[in-house]
Amino acid sequence: MAKTPVKSVRRMSDITPERLADLNSGAAETTVLTECLAIDFALLMRATFPDIPAELHQQLDGSSAGITARMTQAAELLHMQGTIKLSDLNSHPSDTIRGWACYFIAQQQHLALTEKLGLIRPLADDHHFGVREWAWLAMRGDLITQPELSFSLLQPWTNDPSYKIRRYACEAVRPRGVWCAHFNLLKTQPELALPILEALRSDPEIYVQDSVANWLNDASKTTPDWVRTLCDRWLQESTSPSTTRICKRALRTINK
């Protein structure tokens, strides 16, 4: 089947009916956040899992909840259905359905954090920007409730050959977030995540650098002296342009 051409999308009204139909059928991946937000979850679930009872699909109809709440709800319905397997979700052509896989994993209460992270890892390394975000957002609750274990398990990820995995190790434990619960412990004790930050302070990838800088900028809103002292030390110890870039972006709120 020929793919519907994708035009520049800034508003939902920019999405053509043909393009939206492709997205709602699960036949296409989104290209920008606006498309992610435009997908009708009820239509997507109906098209992808037609054997699921209609009353479950209908629970997603007309939901006015935020996007993360709707992602959680979709995964809950899939889990409730009882016959859906992770393998039905985590390699699907639709990035939204692979996002549902992230929340599906997070809801497996019988799994230890180590096991959940093992299952989420391929999704954290997904080629699609949205899936990579869902991968850490879905795990946020588990990471916050088990902080010491989380830091211990994620620290080795900072040495992974994949820059996406390295970025995940940092992004998943940021002190703040727009679409997620705040990591309140790190607002007052940011040093607990220092082994992760230290390992990434000279990372060559901008994608990782931005995550480290944003992490420190988050921390600067509650512990500015700690962030300033850390950046001063890093700049004294490292001549890497990566470190310089990270520190400049990390201090952007403090230096306003």
Side-chain angles (χ1 to χ4, degrees):
M1 175 175 25
K3 292 185 178 180
T4 303
V6 181
K7 71 172 186 176
S8 176
V9 173
R10 294 185 180 181
R11 301 175 299 274
M12 289 190 187
S13 58
D14 292 332
I15 305 172
T16 66
E18 295 80 11
R19 173 63 178 166
L20 189 57
D22 281 347
L23 295 171
N24 286 335
S25 72
E29 289 192 326
T30 62
T31 58
V32 292
L33 177 59
T34 305
E35 290 187 336
C36 297
L37 298 175
I39 290 176
D40 185 319
F41 281 17
L43 289 179
L44 178 59
M45 188 173 286
R46 212 170 286 139
T48 310
F49 302 107
D51 293 337
I52 291 180
E55 58 268 23
L56 294 186
H57 296 156
Q58 289 165 3
Q59 291 185 41
L60 294 170
D61 275 328
S63 175
S64 60
I67 183 63
T68 52
R70 290 192 290 125
M71 294 293 289
T72 301
Q73 183 185 17
E76 286 174 349
L77 293 178
L78 292 170
H79 185 257
M80 184 190 311
Q81 204 277 333
T83 62
I84 302 299
K85 302 182 182 65
L86 179 60
S87 57
D88 297 323
L89 308 171
N90 63 5
S91 59
H92 196 277
S94 166
D95 57 281
T96 298
I97 292 177
R98 298 201 302 281
W100 291 351
C102 299
Y103 285 86
F104 191 85
I105 291 167
Q107 290 171 16
Q108 307 305 305
Q109 299 301 322
H110 64 286
L111 296 179
L113 181 58
T114 306
E115 297 171 291
K116 288 186 178 183
L117 285 174
L119 292 173
I120 212 82
R121 189 184 182 101
L123 294 157
D125 201 30
D126 196 273
H127 67 273
H128 193 278
F129 68 93
V131 178
R132 297 195 297 271
E133 296 306 302
W134 299 131
W136 74 262
L137 285 165
M139 290 297 299
R140 186 75 167 178
D142 290 86
L143 298 172
I144 288 173
T145 56
Q146 302 176 76
E148 292 184 6
L149 180 58
S150 299
F151 305 147
S152 174
L153 292 174
L154 289 173
Q155 201 282 328
W157 290 32
T158 62
N159 298 312
D160 198 89
S162 170
Y163 69 90
K164 299 168 190 172
I165 294 296
R166 299 198 304 274
R167 187 255 191 180
Y168 184 96
C170 178
E171 196 72 13
V173 293
R174 276 180 59 178
R176 296 170 181 264
V178 177
W179 285 354
C180 64
H182 287 190
F183 212 129
N184 290 325
L185 178 65
L186 292 174
K187 289 182 182 180
T188 56
Q189 299 180 64
E191 67 277 5
L192 295 175
L194 193 55
I196 290 173
L197 301 173
E198 290 279 5
L200 300 173
R201 71 177 187 175
S202 299
D203 198 281
E205 292 287 340
I206 288 178
Y207 191 56
V208 181
Q209 293 170 25
D210 285 349
S211 182
V212 178
N214 289 338
W215 199 109
L216 291 172
N217 184 60
D218 284 353
S220 76
K221 295 169 184 175
T222 47
T223 55
D225 291 341
W226 182 85
V227 173
R228 189 180 288 110
T229 299
L230 178 66
C231 287
D232 286 346
R233 176 169 66 79
W234 281 4
L235 292 171
Q236 290 174 7
E237 295 174 353
S238 173
T239 58
S240 167
S242 299
T243 306
T244 301
R245 183 177 183 275
I246 287 171
C247 290
K248 180 178 180 179
R249 289 178 60 80
L251 297 168
R252 64 186 184 270
T253 297
I254 296 175
N255 292 337
K256 277 185 179 177

